Amino acid sequence: MKGLFIKDLILLKGQAKSLVMIAACGIMMSFTFEKTVAAGYLGILGTMLAIGTIGYDEFDNGFSFLFTLPIERKTYVREKYLFALSCSAVSILFGSLIALILIWTAGGNETLQDILLAAVSMAAVSLLFISVMIPVRIKYNAEKSRTVMYIFYAAVLVLAFGGAKLIELIGFDYKALIGKLDSMNPYVILSMLTLAVIAGAFLSERISESVIMKKEY
Amino acid sequence: MLVIDHIQKHYPGFDLDCSLEVKKGQITGLIGANGAGKSTLFKIILGLVYADSGTAELFGTDVRRLTGQERMKIGSVLADSTFSGYIKIADAEKILKSFYPEFNAALFEKKCRDLGLPLDKNIKELSTGMKAKFKVLCALTRNADFLILDEPTAGLDVVARDEVLEMLREYMEENEERSILISSHISSDLESLCDDFYMVHDGKIILHEETDRLLSDYAVIKADQKTFDEMDKTHILKWRKEPYGYALLTNQSEYYRNLYPEMVIEKSGIDDLITLVIKGETL
């Protein structure tokens, strides 16, 4: 797995210029908007970059070569999840650090609690992103993956609006439920959501393993 | 070293069914036309494609159950893939070092200098020839016991091809226990390098012969209509109508030289063999 990490870090190093630009954008946005924006923005971009390394692995039939190396396909999958998680964690930490520095130096209404909440929320969103994107990228090539992701986003929208309509039709009192959630401790809600996302990530990893074991290169 | 027993793979319009053996200390060639099944067979051995039935054992272990340690003892070159084109040769060296404890970095760097491979260049920027040399170098510098090389000299000029073949000879001389399975379209490469070779056609092994025997006993007889009609055809394997008359492949050239001293009998190379075995007719 160490070799795969080194490979992915080298691939990221090749995008160093883009990384610096992205970090700079994150810092600029934190000046303009809320201080916690950097953590969110950088978190998502760090995750995207890490998942993007699958595209580099795939380039020019690269998977064929990769799987002649002394690694198991399952190890490749696990490394990709760990690498994406590590990149997300580093990006979110970096973003949170920027937010902290900005609050201490430039002042602001945000508290340490706000930054912590933003960081944990972003970690959950990044994990959700990883859980959806990695199995899709392993199953399909770059072009097909884009189409599948558009379909996925469309399906999420349809489900959301459809669900809302359905709730209205059956006369479910969703306002009461929202009120109940509002009264709950945000950390409890966040913990529940994070646990759900972690469970989803484990399921996603299993799906990715199953997909990669069946593929021929 | 490698024993393949009736490995089968079925695709729409193509069926592979091959058996072959690569012995310790030997270089075995795999020849055949494009689409004959060479790359599929190589990919099955490397675990990239799964066979429908049959067995393939490398180092005495089923290729699908090779351990990480055993896989470290394989050096491979695939015809159509290598490291991601977005990394530099120097980066590839770092990656190989992290995957293979026995990777010889000093040899890698020396050979890069000798072969004119710039360490700071992205792999996608290398010319076809440079990329071919780079791929072979990656396979040779990890102290592997078994090399599996699919078209390693494709795209190389005569000088570069000679350099690569010399590297393969040096690799074999370093350790007599090593073996190589190699495919190539360039028959002279195989004739000068291989101990034996298999010929694959339409997914089947149609010939297995030692190279020495091919070069000494196989020959192409050129005959006109009258000679063709009257000659003894006991040891004729294949024949083909040519513009001048007939080309006949035999594996008993001495027999015909003694029987017909005036007959035009030319040494058969792998190219003649491929043409006549695939396109020729059996008597």
Side-chain angles (χ1 to χ4, degrees):
Chain A
M1 194 176 284
K2 183 184 148 204
L4 289 171
F5 254 91
I6 291 172
K7 170 191 68 65
D8 283 343
L9 286 172
I10 287 169
L11 287 171
L12 274 193
K13 193 185 81 184
Q15 301 174 71
K17 279 182 194 163
S18 316
L19 280 172
V20 172
M21 291 276 285
I22 288 163
C25 284
I27 295 166
M28 296 285 282
M29 283 169 78
S30 299
F31 274 115
T32 320
F33 304 107
E34 284 182 31
K35 306 288 183 291
T36 50
V37 163
Y41 174 75
L42 291 175
I44 284 291
L45 283 168
T47 312
M48 294 276 281
L49 282 170
I51 295 169
T53 57
I54 298 176
Y56 288 99
D57 291 340
E58 187 186 41
F59 178 75
D60 241 2
N61 302 315
F63 274 132
S64 302
F65 171 77
L66 210 54
F67 294 130
T68 62
L69 295 172
I71 49 156
E72 285 185 32
R73 294 185 186 194
K74 285 182 180 178
T75 311
Y76 175 83
V77 168
R78 283 171 202 158
E79 186 273 343
K80 215 39 106 179
Y81 278 84
L82 284 177
F83 184 70
L85 277 175
S86 309
C87 286
S88 305
V90 169
S91 313
I92 292 168
L93 280 176
F94 182 62
S96 304
L97 195 68
I98 290 168
L100 268 178
I101 292 168
L102 286 174
I103 290 166
W104 282 333
T105 53
N109 300 325
E110 295 89 346
T111 61
L112 197 65
Q113 193 184 13
D114 291 333
I115 294 174
L116 192 66
L117 263 176
V120 176
S121 311
M122 272 327 296
V125 171
S126 296
L127 192 55
L128 185 67
F129 209 70
I130 289 166
S131 305
V132 175
M133 284 291 284
I134 292 184
V136 172
R137 282 301 285 112
I138 286 175
K139 172 90 178 163
Y140 304 104
N141 62 25
E143 208 170 307
K144 269 192 185 166
S145 292
R146 260 194 298 278
T147 313
V148 171
M149 287 312 291
Y150 290 141
I151 294 169
F152 175 77
Y153 294 139
V156 168
L157 280 175
V158 168
L159 273 176
F161 284 111
K165 273 272 176 231
L166 191 70
I167 284 168
E168 264 180 41
L169 280 173
I170 60 172
F172 179 73
D173 188 8
Y174 67 94
K175 282 179 184 164
L177 181 68
I178 292 171
K180 216 177 241 181
L181 285 174
D182 259 350
S183 63
M184 280 174 80
N185 185 332
Y187 286 107
V188 174
I189 298 171
L190 201 58
S191 304
M192 281 163 63
L193 280 174
T194 308
L195 279 175
V197 172
I198 289 172
F202 274 109
L203 180 68
S204 158
E205 197 270 341
R206 282 301 164 103
I207 292 169
S208 297
E209 276 187 14
S210 158
V211 168
I212 209 162
M213 291 308 289
K214 283 179 192 150
K215 279 194 90 170
E216 296 191 332
Y217 295 95
Chain B
M1 184 70 83
L2 173 72
V3 182
I4 292 178
D5 185 19
H6 283 290
I7 274 289
Q8 295 190 7
K9 180 76 185 172
H10 307 291
Y11 293 111
F14 178 78
D15 295 309
L16 180 85
D17 182 355
C18 288
S19 297
L20 65 80
E21 186 177 358
V22 181
K23 290 180 181 151
K24 265 187 186 176
Q26 290 219 333
I27 304 179
T28 297
L30 190 63
I31 56 172
N34 287 333
K38 302 188 297 286
S39 292
T40 304
L41 188 59
F42 275 47
K43 287 187 171 186
I44 288 173
I45 297 166
L46 289 166
L48 299 169
V49 166
Y50 302 129
D52 295 331
S53 62
T55 58
E57 289 185 353
L58 183 59
F59 313 124
T61 309
D62 188 316
V63 291
R64 289 185 70 166
R65 288 177 186 81
L66 286 171
T67 62
Q69 286 294 321
E70 284 168 324
R71 290 172 72 88
M72 277 181 200
K73 291 290 171 193
I74 306 170
S76 58
V77 168
L78 293 171
D80 58 357
S81 92
T82 182
F83 280 103
S84 170
Y86 291 94
I87 64 166
K88 294 180 168 57
I89 293 181
D91 295 328
E93 183 188 349
K94 282 181 205 153
I95 295 169
L96 286 170
K97 215 182 280 183
S98 64
F99 275 111
Y100 297 94
E102 293 184 45
F103 176 71
N104 190 337
L107 177 67
F108 183 87
E109 284 169 24
K110 182 188 175 298
K111 288 288 181 188
C112 277
R113 280 194 298 275
D114 295 347
L115 298 168
L117 296 171
L119 289 166
D120 59 347
K121 206 163 188 175
N122 273 347
I123 290 161
K124 71 182 165 93
E125 289 164 11
L126 298 178
S127 67
T128 312
M130 283 166 116
K131 203 184 269 186
K133 286 192 268 188
F134 166 73
K135 289 200 284 190
V136 173
L137 190 55
C138 290
L140 284 176
T141 45
R142 56 183 81 161
N143 195 26
D145 289 336
F146 179 67
L147 292 188
I148 175 161
L149 314 171
D150 192 9
E151 299 286 351
T153 53
L156 292 177
D157 59 46
V158 182
V159 179
R161 241 168 55 210
D162 200 48
E163 284 173 335
V164 167
L165 295 179
E166 197 47 45
M167 280 162 65
L168 295 178
R169 285 189 197 99
E170 281 172 18
Y171 164 84
M172 288 300 283
E173 281 164 15
E174 281 169 20
N175 186 340
E176 288 177 358
E177 298 281 288
R178 289 171 168 172
S179 306
I180 300 177
L181 176 63
I182 181 173
S183 78
S184 175
H185 276 96
I186 303 152
S187 55
S188 58
D189 289 358
L190 297 178
E191 283 171 9
S192 65
L193 193 70
C194 296
D195 297 295
D196 66 336
F197 64 90
Y198 287 83
M199 190 169 166
V200 59
H201 180 58
D202 279 345
K204 313 275 181 299
I205 299 289
I206 53 171
L207 188 80
H208 174 219
E209 193 57 272
E210 287 177 10
T211 312
D212 286 347
R213 186 143 190 264
L214 167 79
L215 297 177
S216 63
D217 297 346
Y218 281 67
V220 177
I221 299 168
K222 306 283 170 94
D224 56 20
Q225 185 68 55
K226 187 170 174 287
T227 314
F228 178 75
D229 290 339
E230 292 170 1
M231 70 183 285
D232 173 1
K233 300 188 188 75
T234 317
H235 299 292
I236 297 299
L237 303 173
K238 293 273 184 177
W239 67 273
R240 191 178 176 219
K241 187 93 176 79
E242 300 277 358
Y244 57 82
Y246 292 89
L248 301 100
L249 180 72
T250 177
N251 58 355
Q252 301 284 339
S253 57
E254 272 312 297
Y255 174 81
Y256 286 101
R257 279 200 183 92
N258 292 332
L259 203 62
Y260 308 108
E262 302 301 315
M263 200 174 244
V264 180
I265 300 175
E266 294 172 352
K267 286 265 179 202
S268 159
I270 288 178
D271 285 339
D272 296 321
L273 190 75
I274 292 174
T275 311
L276 275 162
V277 169
I278 293 174
K279 293 188 173 172
E281 291 179 47
T282 311
L283 285 162

